[in-house]
Amino acid sequence: MSTLSDQLLKMERHNSIFESAVRALPLPVCAAFGDAVRPQPVAFAASGRVLGTRDGEQVAASFPHSVQASGNAVLAAAGVNRAAPRGKRVAVLFSGGPAAGGHNVVCGLKRVLGPDNTLFGVRPGPKGLIKGQLFEITEADIDRVINTGGFDFLGTDRTKIKTDAQFAYVKETCLKNSIDAIVVIGGDDSNTNAAVLAEFLFKGVKADGSGVQVIGVPKTIDGDLQIGDLLPISFGFDTATKIYGEMVGNILQDTRSSLKYWHFIKLMGRSASHVTMEVALQTKPAITLVSEEIAEKKQSLAAIVEEIAQAVAVRVGKGINHGVVLIPEGVIEFIPEMNALIAELNDVLAHHAAEFAAAADKAAFVAGRLTRGNARLLASLPAYVVRMLLADRDSHGNLQVSLIPTEQLLVDMVKARLQEIDADIPFAAHCHFLGYEGRCGAPTLFDAAYTYNLGLTAGSLILDGRTGYMATVTDLDRGGEPRAIPLTGLLNIERRHGKDEFVIEKALVKMDSPAMQYLLSRRAAWAAEDLFCSPGPRQLWGPAARQMPISVALNSGAQSLEFRIG
Ligand code: FBP
């Protein structure tokens, strides 16, 4: 066999030239963990900060063990843990959508637990915990998955552990495998799940009456799990936005080359507009919709269409017959009349689930149960939008906004409006949805380092005997500090599935945040003429490798775009 065909065969199973090289990429660790090659577990102590939410009393009543144990106190690293126990058996799982860097959390965990403790992978996600599907993670596994993207090492799913039977199965899994601790790597819903699990498993699980510790790790490309300076961003956001940034930059470059197209690009990110805002800050397109702004200004669908149509007409007047419109995935839920419709739809679907499932004409079934205004609005929407508004909610009760073709709806409506303004205005548009292509790319240096240190932090919390906390790393432009956030200090009550539930609130874009203010200060100039830039491919080596998300740098008051861990 020739050398080239040998080389090509060796590349199979995640061994491309890039993947092989990236496994050897050294990862910096926060000073608290000591040596980068042999990181040490840290002990934790109360930092002096205590968290609370408006529903604190109900939380304390429903999560008595967790609240009593943590006092909702934020923990800070307090030196190397010289008394770390041995023989701990820890299970780790991914939960929810994939995000770059998840494998490095597992690697950090394994490294800090060391050879004296055992790490098990749960396959796939919470469902694997219910079914008891565990396997021991080896050093060879870690060498293979480090710095690689995706969640494929363990797989993931969106099962919400909620029934008595499911909780009993989880307990059985813990007992059968003598599990001492579970690490849940997930977003807001999954960390809410982790809080519930921590309370359920707090004590009385094992024969000696002791419990099973539960630690959460903040993941989601959406960027909607943020807690001020305690959690400036969840992992996966940087990689996803840099991948989208490169693609949007390429499309912008095409618009100015071919000189005849508008591109309406919807960006994943669920409800919040963090992803869209970050990509806008990276690329500077003509138009950026921000869902939270639309809600604040109470803009109707017609008003949004009018704004875009006018911007197109003004550019055409200047001879610029092209541009890019960035659209947040969840924008539809923020348009007041659509929001009212979706809320009523959610209630109808939750309360008539069986009849709805059996109904032949689902739209007619629902319309008959809506208020007159909402029924009229539903009837006015194109069939491709109605179908998705009526599609199954996910197991956490969320509308699957990624399935709603908002970009197509806007193109169709803008086209119709431009015809009314002046039939001679040229308008040719393409639609894109950038979502899944950003979730599993190889982690950026930021995400690779951040997640490895999150794994070290989660493992340290377990060895320090903690439960009901979310691991975090703060001060990302000043070396990085491992900390722990009490999950019960984040819980509020929200209406989901037609009933009140404890949830960690999604962090939306704040209108007065420095990142939003910056976008507002530049948006008109970006609409008036082409000022875009192309961030290019993400770099693991080279000048852009150390760049953190622009919105995170702005919002955390950083002095430059450079992150510094270690
Ligand atoms: P998480 O909130 O679980 O991290 O998921 C993020 C996300 O990628 C959203 O941006 C998107 O709306 C959703 O998952 C898509 O879900 P699915 O993977 O089930 O299609």
Side-chain angles (χ1 to χ4, degrees):
M1 217 182 280
S2 77
T3 319
L4 177 57
S5 52
D6 267 357
Q7 205 180 356
L8 294 178
L9 268 182
K10 274 191 196 143
M11 285 181 183
E12 290 178 4
R13 295 179 192 275
H14 298 302
N15 285 308
S16 68
I17 296 174
F18 171 80
E19 286 168 306
S20 303
V22 95
R23 284 190 185 100
L25 189 71
L27 292 172
V29 306
C30 306
F33 298 115
D35 186 27
V37 182
R38 256 170 249 92
Q40 302 294 305
V42 294
F44 289 87
S47 67
R49 273 170 85 169
V50 172
L51 300 185
T53 65
R54 58 168 190 269
D55 298 319
E57 271 180 33
Q58 284 108 308
V59 175
S62 299
F63 296 79
H65 301 112
S66 307
V67 173
Q68 209 170 36
S70 73
N72 282 340
V74 174
L75 305 179
V80 168
N81 187 352
R82 309 245 171 247
R86 293 170 176 201
K88 285 243 182 200
R89 294 165 69 84
V90 180
V92 58
L93 61 97
F94 296 130
S95 179
H103 289 166
N104 279 16
V105 177
V106 177
C107 297
L109 260 174
K110 176 81 181 160
R111 288 276 149 78
V112 82
L113 292 173
D116 297 333
N117 302 286
T118 312
L119 182 63
F120 295 91
V122 182
R123 235 180 192 289
K127 189 165 52 182
L129 200 57
I130 293 167
K131 292 188 169 175
Q133 294 169 174
L134 274 62
F135 70 98
E136 188 175 336
I137 296 175
T138 64
E139 275 300 327
D141 291 328
I142 296 307
D143 292 343
R144 187 167 48 83
V145 302
I146 194 152
N147 294 335
T148 60
F151 277 5
D152 57 314
F153 178 42
L154 302 180
T156 184
D157 87 316
R158 292 192 183 279
T159 302
K160 180 171 181 170
I161 300 167
K162 55 183 173 196
T163 66
D164 290 348
Q166 287 173 325
F167 278 108
Y169 282 130
V170 170
K171 209 167 180 174
E172 199 178 305
T173 299
C174 293
L175 280 173
K176 219 154 127 189
N177 297 281
S178 306
I179 295 300
D180 300 299
I182 300 170
V183 176
V184 177
I185 303 172
D188 51 334
D189 288 332
S190 307
N191 273 282
T192 301
N193 245 346
V196 175
L197 212 51
E199 181 66 23
F200 176 73
L201 298 174
F202 193 86
K203 62 178 188 181
V205 182
K206 299 183 205 152
D208 64 0
S210 62
V212 170
Q213 299 161 251
V214 181
I215 297 295
V217 177
K219 164 242 65 160
T220 176
I221 66 155
D222 300 347
D224 58 2
L225 183 51
Q226 292 184 24
I227 305 151
D229 63 324
L230 287 177
L231 181 60
I233 198 65
S234 52
F235 80 77
F237 177 82
D238 186 55
T239 308
T241 52
K242 284 198 171 117
I243 292 174
Y244 303 146
E246 180 192 358
M247 291 175 168
V248 170
N250 295 349
I251 291 174
L252 280 159
Q253 202 66 39
D254 189 285
T255 60
R256 200 173 156 84
S257 307
S258 50
L259 302 168
K260 58 179 177 183
Y261 292 128
W262 276 83
H263 290 263
F264 282 54
I265 307 173
K266 185 174 73 176
L267 291 155
M268 207 175 233
R270 218 189 270 287
S271 302
S273 306
H274 299 289
V275 169
T276 298
M277 191 163 71
E278 174 63 26
V279 175
L281 293 171
Q282 283 181 31
T283 59
K284 301 129 184 33
I287 300 173
T288 304
L289 301 185
V290 176
S291 305
E292 293 82 345
E293 183 187 16
I294 287 168
E296 176 154 309
K297 290 183 174 168
K298 297 191 175 38
Q299 268 185 305
S300 64
L301 187 54
I304 297 165
V305 168
E306 184 64 23
E307 209 169 276
I308 300 174
Q310 291 300 339
V312 170
V314 169
R315 278 170 75 100
V316 167
K318 291 180 178 176
I320 311 174
N321 184 20
H322 60 265
V324 160
V325 182
L326 295 187
I327 305 158
E329 178 182 18
V331 70
I332 203 131
E333 289 182 289
F334 288 75
I335 302 169
E337 72 267 26
M338 295 299 298
N339 183 275
L341 170 63
I342 291 166
E344 202 178 8
L345 277 176
N346 284 346
D347 266 1
V348 170
L349 296 189
H351 289 120
H352 302 276
E355 298 156 78
F356 177 75
D361 185 343
K362 298 201 185 305
F365 174 86
V366 165
R369 283 155 183 83
L370 294 175
T371 50
R372 192 155 341 131
N374 279 340
R376 210 178 306 129
L377 176 57
L378 190 69
S380 75
L381 296 169
Y384 59 80
V385 174
V386 174
R387 202 168 36 248
M388 291 311 158
L389 285 174
L390 300 182
D392 287 345
R393 272 46 183 163
D394 73 13
S395 58
H396 295 272
N398 300 314
L399 174 72
Q400 299 190 56
V401 279
S402 61
L403 301 179
I404 299 175
T406 330
E407 63 284 24
Q408 188 62 57
L409 178 68
L410 288 173
V411 165
D412 291 346
M413 292 181 77
V414 168
K415 197 178 274 174
R417 179 66 190 123
L418 285 169
Q419 281 291 309
E420 288 168 11
I421 297 172
D422 178 350
D424 289 334
I425 294 178
F427 180 71
H430 291 285
C431 289
H432 309 260
F433 170 41
L434 301 182
Y436 298 100
E437 41 284 84
R439 302 197 305 189
C440 285
T444 55
L445 192 58
F446 176 85
D447 272 330
Y450 182 33
T451 47
Y452 186 65
N453 282 274
L454 283 171
L456 296 176
T457 306
S460 295
L461 283 164
I462 290 164
L463 295 176
D464 202 36
R466 309 290 177 163
T467 187
Y469 283 92
M470 177 159 65
T472 185
V473 176
T474 63
D475 302 86
L476 295 168
D477 59 335
R478 290 187 298 273
E481 290 291 340
R483 283 174 195 257
I485 302 173
L487 287 165
T488 46
L490 306 175
L491 296 178
N492 264 313
I493 295 174
E494 221 174 73
R495 204 157 176 78
R496 295 254 178 108
H497 275 139
K499 59 181 195 315
D500 288 343
E501 287 185 10
F502 286 107
V503 296
I504 296 175
E505 262 177 19
K506 288 189 192 304
L508 300 178
V509 168
K510 292 197 180 84
M511 293 305 294
D512 59 356
S513 65
M516 183 66 195
Q517 289 300 310
Y518 183 80
L519 178 70
L520 290 175
S521 73
R522 298 300 305 148
R523 210 167 43 177
W526 300 345
E529 55 179 320
D530 279 336
L531 295 180
F532 65 82
C533 65
S534 235
R538 59 204 192 285
Q539 299 182 357
L540 287 162
W541 304 268
R546 293 208 148 258
Q547 182 180 318
M548 69 162 96
I550 298 176
S551 51
V552 174
L554 287 168
N555 288 341
S556 57
Q559 294 305 305
S560 80
L561 281 180
E562 193 176 325
F563 76 88
R564 196 168 66 76
I565 293 177

